[in-house]
Amino acid sequence: MKKNNSKASFSTVKKVLKYLNKYRFLFALSLILAVIIVAATLYIPILVGQAIDLAIGKGLVDFDGIYQILIKIGVIAAVTALLQWVMNVINNRMTFGIVRRLRRDAFKKIQELPLSYIDSHPVGDTVSRVIGDVDQFSDGLLMGFSQLFTGVLTIVGTLAFMLSINVTITVVVVVVTPLSLFVAAFIAKRTHSLFKKQSETRAEQTSLIDEMIGEHKTVAAFSHEDEAIERFDEINERLQKCSLKAVFYSSLTNPCTRFVNNLVYAGVALVGALICVSSSGAALTVGALTSLLNYANQYTKPFNEISGVITELQNALACAARVFELIDAEPEIPESADAHDLALEEVDGRVNIEGVEFSYTPDRELIKGLDLSIENGQRVAIVGPTGCGKTTVINLLMRFYDVNAGKIEVSGHDIRDITRESLRRSYGMVLQETWLKNGTIRENIAMGKPDATDEEIIAAAKSAHAHSFIRQMPNGYDTVIGEDGGALSQGQKQLLCITRVMLCLPPMLILDEATSSIDTRTEMKIQDAFATMMRGRTSFIVAHRLSTIKEADIILVMKDGRIIEKGDHETLLKSGGFYSELWNSQFDR
């Protein structure tokens, strides 16, 4: 298990370094500045020691010498502060540049993911990876840039300066150092798994909040508030426990390393004092001992910072691993090398389905041996009980999923040999579940045809019987609606989605319960508009209300993933089969 965690961390670090590669010049500049800043900072204790040696002895104080040293210290401190600011600016630019690219790559991958991934992962978890985990990662990365490099350089530089003053005391410091490293490493190993668990639980909580807010009306309608609070409390309590454990272990780092650091300081002070008062005291002046004590403080301080950085980096790497897990997820099956665009003028509406088999999971068959041949301009209705595969057929036609066996052809082309974009451009789709983006009504209608004129948009709205309610909006077609339609009714949102399809009028149509949220009177008008729109276009209509598909040319009756009956309305009624039972169950009272 530990080996797996180490491999995962190493793999994550390699991926982070690839993102850092673009900023290698800034990274090198940051390192150079860090070297200069550390060298200048460590030179100051030498000057302080020299000033102290110039002030020892009654009547022997060299004020001119001390004054010159103080000027040097002031200049060095000012330059160091300026360079520190420049280095921080560079580090911020690198950090947030990497974060920007990371978020962009994650969002881009979401657009490339197959529908199966979206269906099998909670929305809140995916949102948490792109937002929360990237934020946590940026915090750790910034701390790493800001403190890790300077801390390591400070340790190395301090040892070098101490060696130049006294080898014996430096050996004492080096001997005690491994204890601090052991303590930091021991704690860091245990914090990684805890921070990973914290990140996963936070994502679970985000998912629940997203779910409860998005479906708040349903929660309230079924008086499910108490159960929702119980679920939230349970997750929140788990998050509290794993967060407390992670913070507890990580907070041990500072006091433990401080204890070791105090041992180092005490050792330097004791050994240095003994050397000063011994017969060889001339080898170590009071000023030099003061410099060594300063170095002892500066040497041990980075261990506190580095241990804190390591803890934060463990959290950052755990979050980064979740983001890279999303970025590395398998995208949709790539287009074949010879896939070509299908021009709209090439689409004649013929659809041929041969021996199609499909299942969402290998252990459960759904579509089996589906065969169907549809001519241009035919209206095809698909009916059947819930779960029989109606919507699955639509998903296969749009190539949201690829068939496991068999093939689907559009206008004589296997849909796997044409690009998904050109295939989906050939269909106009109105679903029961509406989707509207945050923007004006005009922008939402024009999604299918961005270059549409105002006259075309208004004509489409009139055809869809949406023009009257749009005119009553505060700013008409320029009224801004919020996420998912804002305050619009479900029926109004569906009318806008119908208007969107009316505007672009592609060669083929898919209507999946397209009028389910519209009142009966408006539905009759919409059905007339649909009849006009479907004339000469191949249309697939999924409906539960059988009265809406009486005029279909072909009615496919599905059950358990198979087409068990096929024909027009009158023929199927006379046959007295399953369709007849469905019809009678709706209209015989």
Side-chain angles (χ1 to χ4, degrees):
M1 185 69 179
K2 289 181 180 179
K3 287 184 178 179
N4 290 337
N5 285 339
S6 299
K7 287 181 179 178
S9 297
F10 181 69
S11 174
T12 303
V13 170
K14 283 177 63 179
K15 291 171 184 175
V16 172
L17 290 177
K18 286 182 180 179
Y19 278 83
L20 182 60
N21 187 51
K22 181 182 177 182
Y23 300 96
R24 54 186 179 275
F25 173 75
L26 290 179
F27 181 69
L29 183 58
S30 178
L31 283 179
I32 292 170
L33 289 175
V35 171
I36 296 172
I37 290 167
V38 169
T41 303
L42 294 180
Y43 183 54
I44 291 177
I46 293 286
L47 296 176
V48 171
Q50 292 174 357
I52 290 174
D53 285 337
L54 292 176
I56 293 176
K58 186 175 181 181
L60 299 175
V61 178
D62 184 355
F63 288 102
D64 290 337
I66 293 174
Y67 180 70
Q68 293 296 324
I69 290 173
L70 290 177
I71 291 176
K72 284 184 182 179
I73 292 174
V75 171
I76 292 173
V79 172
T80 302
L82 177 62
L83 294 180
Q84 182 74 52
W85 175 78
V86 173
M87 188 179 72
N88 287 339
V89 171
I90 292 173
N91 290 341
N92 284 334
R93 181 163 184 174
M94 285 192 294
T95 298
F96 294 111
I98 291 173
V99 166
R100 178 184 62 82
R101 290 180 60 211
L102 194 62
R103 275 212 175 100
R104 183 182 180 278
D105 289 349
F107 189 76
K108 182 182 177 184
K109 174 50 69 80
I110 291 173
Q111 311 310 311
E112 299 171 353
L113 289 172
L115 197 61
S116 56
Y117 182 96
I118 304 299
D119 288 344
S120 60
H121 288 75
V123 174
D125 177 73
T126 305
V127 171
S128 180
R129 290 173 193 253
V130 179
I131 304 299
D133 287 334
V134 173
D135 277 341
Q136 291 288 322
F137 170 67
S138 68
D139 290 341
L141 194 62
L142 184 59
M143 185 177 286
F145 282 136
S146 302
Q147 298 180 13
L148 185 60
F149 303 135
T150 54
V152 172
L153 288 171
T154 299
I155 291 171
V156 175
T158 304
L159 285 175
F161 275 101
M162 291 178 76
L163 279 170
S164 68
I165 298 173
N166 189 280
V167 176
T168 304
I169 294 177
T170 306
V171 171
V172 172
V173 172
V174 172
V175 168
V176 182
T177 297
L179 181 60
S180 181
L181 295 174
F182 173 77
V183 170
F186 179 81
I187 296 172
K189 286 180 181 178
R190 279 148 185 79
T191 54
H192 177 76
S193 58
L194 292 172
F195 277 121
K196 182 179 179 183
K197 183 68 175 176
Q198 180 190 35
S199 182
E200 291 171 349
T201 310
R202 190 190 303 115
E204 188 180 349
Q205 186 182 63
T206 304
S207 181
L208 175 65
I209 294 171
D210 181 78
E211 179 185 343
M212 291 299 108
I213 293 175
E215 301 298 331
H216 182 67
K217 289 181 181 177
T218 305
V219 172
F222 286 91
S223 301
H224 196 69
E225 294 91 342
D226 291 340
E227 289 82 354
I229 292 172
E230 285 178 12
R231 284 180 61 194
F232 179 83
D233 286 343
E234 187 271 328
I235 297 173
N236 207 28
E237 188 172 345
R238 280 195 284 117
L239 179 59
Q240 180 194 26
K241 288 179 179 178
C242 64
S243 297
L244 281 173
K245 283 184 179 179
V247 172
F248 173 75
Y249 276 101
S250 64
S251 63
L252 286 175
T253 307
N254 197 284
C256 289
T257 53
R258 278 186 181 278
F259 174 73
V260 178
N261 296 342
N262 288 333
L263 289 180
V264 172
Y265 189 84
V268 171
L270 178 61
V271 175
L274 290 175
I275 293 175
C276 282
V277 299
S278 69
S279 58
S280 59
L284 186 68
T285 65
V286 174
L289 177 59
T290 304
S291 298
L292 284 170
L293 288 174
N294 279 326
Y295 284 135
N297 267 333
Q298 292 196 39
Y299 174 78
T300 56
K301 185 180 178 183
F303 282 101
N304 289 330
E305 293 178 350
I306 290 173
S307 59
V309 168
I310 290 174
T311 300
E312 192 65 30
L313 283 176
Q314 292 291 329
N315 185 18
L317 289 176
C319 293
R322 283 172 42 80
V323 180
F324 287 125
E325 188 179 291
L326 170 63
I327 292 175
D328 295 338
E330 284 294 324
E332 279 189 312
I333 298 174
E335 309 280 13
S336 62
D338 56 350
H340 62 280
D341 281 337
L342 185 65
L344 290 178
E345 54 269 19
E346 293 182 63
V347 182
D348 58 14
R350 290 181 296 114
V351 177
N352 188 45
I353 301 174
E354 293 182 12
V356 165
E357 294 183 7
F358 175 78
S359 61
Y360 291 106
T361 56
D363 57 336
R364 184 184 175 190
E365 287 186 336
L366 183 56
I367 302 292
K368 297 163 286 188
L370 182 62
D371 293 292
L372 185 62
S373 182
I374 301 163
E375 295 301 321
N376 177 35
Q378 286 189 315
R379 287 175 289 180
V380 182
I382 308 174
V383 301
T386 301
C388 69
K390 300 186 297 295
T391 301
T392 301
V393 171
I394 301 303
N395 287 337
L396 296 177
L397 288 172
M398 296 284 287
R399 210 183 164 200
F400 291 139
Y401 289 86
D402 279 309
V403 298
N404 300 136
K407 66 178 180 178
I408 299 176
E409 292 181 337
V410 170
S411 301
H413 300 273
D414 190 320
I415 62 174
R416 289 168 294 193
D417 294 333
I418 57 180
T419 61
R420 290 185 178 90
E421 183 180 352
S422 64
L423 171 67
R424 292 165 186 171
R425 196 170 55 232
S426 304
Y427 286 101
M429 196 172 188
V430 182
L431 303 177
Q432 181 178 7
E433 296 178 1
T434 59
W435 182 81
L436 297 170
K437 68 176 183 177
N438 193 344
T440 65
I441 291 177
R442 186 190 312 277
E443 290 169 344
N444 273 280
I445 294 175
M447 279 185 66
K449 190 179 179 183
D451 58 346
T453 64
D454 288 349
E455 291 75 16
E456 289 175 320
I457 291 173
I458 292 171
K462 287 180 178 178
S463 299
H465 300 277
H467 180 66
S468 58
F469 92 79
I470 295 174
R471 283 193 309 168
Q472 296 171 13
M473 301 295 287
N475 297 308
Y477 285 85
D478 293 317
T479 300
V480 176
I481 55 178
E483 181 184 357
D484 198 25
L488 295 179
S489 71
Q490 190 64 29
Q492 289 172 328
K493 289 190 283 186
Q494 203 157 37
L495 285 175
L496 289 181
C497 292
I498 294 170
T499 303
R500 187 188 293 162
V501 175
M502 290 278 194
L503 177 64
C504 58
L505 280 181
M508 297 183 291
L509 299 172
I510 292 175
L511 309 175
D512 189 352
E513 292 291 334
T515 58
S516 60
S517 300
I518 298 173
D519 63 90
T520 305
R521 182 179 177 185
T522 304
E523 182 184 13
M524 292 174 65
K525 296 179 181 179
I526 291 295
Q527 291 297 345
D528 290 338
F530 276 161
T532 302
M533 185 171 65
M534 289 186 290
R535 192 172 297 125
R537 291 181 173 82
T538 301
S539 307
F540 295 89
I541 309 160
V542 176
H544 286 104
R545 284 187 286 183
L546 301 185
S547 60
T548 62
I549 48 94
K550 285 176 61 178
E551 303 303 321
D553 299 308
I554 302 174
I555 298 175
L556 305 178
V557 185
M558 295 191 68
K559 187 178 182 182
D560 299 327
R562 294 182 183 275
I563 296 175
I564 59 172
E565 296 178 19
K566 182 168 64 174
D568 59 27
H569 173 71
E570 295 298 333
T571 303
L572 292 174
L573 273 185
K574 289 177 182 178
S575 68
F578 189 64
Y579 178 80
S580 179
E581 290 179 18
L582 289 175
W583 179 269
N584 292 330
S585 67
Q586 288 192 17
F587 296 100
D588 284 355
R589 295 288 185 268

